[in-house]
């Protein structure tokens, strides 16, 4: 005979919304903390290293949410004088007992992916998480999620029409930009084409 034993406590999850993301674009990282115990959870704290093991140069986009997880909770982004990126820190969070209003919290952080980030799938895991439920110290499992950076979501084609053309004649050069991301618009697109490099 067998059965499952559920240990009540805290569950921390994280999720990158609307990825894959283009290099140089913004992505939203959502955190959710749930208290499944019958007692108040206090002094919840954790940190999330955004560098360099994750994506070097990844930074937060202000403003960060105020009171993200209960009154008095604070979320900060500390660059630690590190040019490779930042570290998110949550302190002072409080959650009510399970089944009560305020037994969970969800907050979003907007991040800017560096333009030079190679296309790949990156894994991000929170660091040490701790809280007190009653007088007991609990250590929830770290939260983890993957972020896919794909530089090939924007496709650019070019084509000459009306050629061959005689010297002194006119020819049309057409450009077609295609967004291959079916979930997100792409804005602020720029590119250059040095025509003199091919024909002065």
């Amino acid at each position: 005979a067998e059965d499952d034993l559920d240990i009540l406590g805290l569950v921390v999850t994280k999720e990158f919304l609307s990825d894959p993301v283009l290099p140089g674009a913004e992505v939203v990282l959502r955190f959710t903390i749930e208290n499944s115990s019958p007692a108040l959870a206090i002094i919840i704290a954790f940190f999330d290293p955004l560098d360099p093991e994750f994506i070097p140069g990844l930074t937060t986009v202000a403003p960060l949410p105020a009171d993200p997880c209960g009154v008095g909770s604070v979320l900060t982004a500390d660059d630690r004088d590190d040019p490779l990126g930042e570290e998110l820190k949550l302190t002072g969070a409080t959650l009510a007992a399970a089944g009560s209003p305020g037994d969970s919290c969800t907050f979003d952080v907007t991040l800017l992916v560096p333009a030079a980030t190679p296309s790949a799938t990156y894994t991000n895991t929170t660091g040490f998480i701790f809280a007190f439920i009653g007088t007991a110290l609990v250590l929830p499992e770290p939260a983890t999620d993957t972020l896919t950076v794909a530089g090939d979501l924007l496709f650019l084609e070019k084509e000459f029409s009306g050629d061959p053309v005689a010297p002194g004649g006119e020819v049309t050069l057409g450009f077609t930009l295609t967004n291959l991301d079916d979930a997100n618009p792409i804005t602020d697109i720029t590119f250059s084409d040095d025509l003199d490099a091919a024909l002065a």
Side-chain angles (χ1 to χ4, degrees):
E2 65 179 33
D3 196 6
D4 294 328
L5 174 64
D6 294 328
I7 306 298
L8 299 177
L10 287 178
V11 176
V12 180
T13 57
K14 64 188 302 183
E15 178 185 9
F16 289 98
L17 306 182
S18 66
D19 69 321
V21 61
L22 282 166
E26 296 180 357
V27 65
V28 174
L29 174 57
R30 173 167 293 172
F31 293 92
T32 300
I33 307 175
E34 299 176 273
N35 182 14
S36 58
S37 75
L40 179 72
I42 60 173
I43 319 180
I44 303 167
F46 70 82
F47 70 91
D48 191 337
L50 300 178
D51 68 285
E53 295 82 3
F54 181 42
I55 295 179
L58 188 71
T59 55
T60 56
V61 178
L64 295 175
D67 293 327
C69 200
V71 177
S73 61
V74 177
L75 181 68
T76 59
D78 182 7
D79 62 11
R80 300 174 295 169
D81 296 323
D82 188 342
L84 294 177
E86 298 178 343
E87 178 180 81
L88 290 174
K89 293 182 180 179
L90 174 71
T91 57
T94 302
L95 294 177
S100 303
D103 64 352
S104 68
C105 72
T106 299
F107 57 91
D108 296 341
V109 179
T110 302
L111 304 172
L112 177 62
V113 179
T117 302
S119 296
T121 297
Y122 300 86
T123 300
N124 179 230
T125 303
T126 60
F128 183 71
I129 305 172
F130 73 92
F132 285 94
I133 297 180
T135 58
L137 174 65
V138 294
L139 304 172
E141 289 292 323
T144 187
D145 194 25
T146 59
L147 173 63
T148 300
V149 179
D152 56 358
L153 291 176
L154 182 63
F155 188 58
L156 173 63
E157 297 176 281
K158 62 186 294 185
E159 180 182 10
F160 288 99
S161 58
D163 64 327
V165 60
E170 295 182 352
V171 68
T172 299
L173 174 58
F175 296 91
T176 302
L177 279 162
T178 304
N179 180 7
L180 302 180
D181 185 351
D182 58 4
N184 302 287
I186 299 176
T187 61
D188 300 325
I189 300 168
T190 62
F191 72 88
S192 62
D193 190 349
D194 185 4
L195 300 178
D196 284 340
L199 185 65

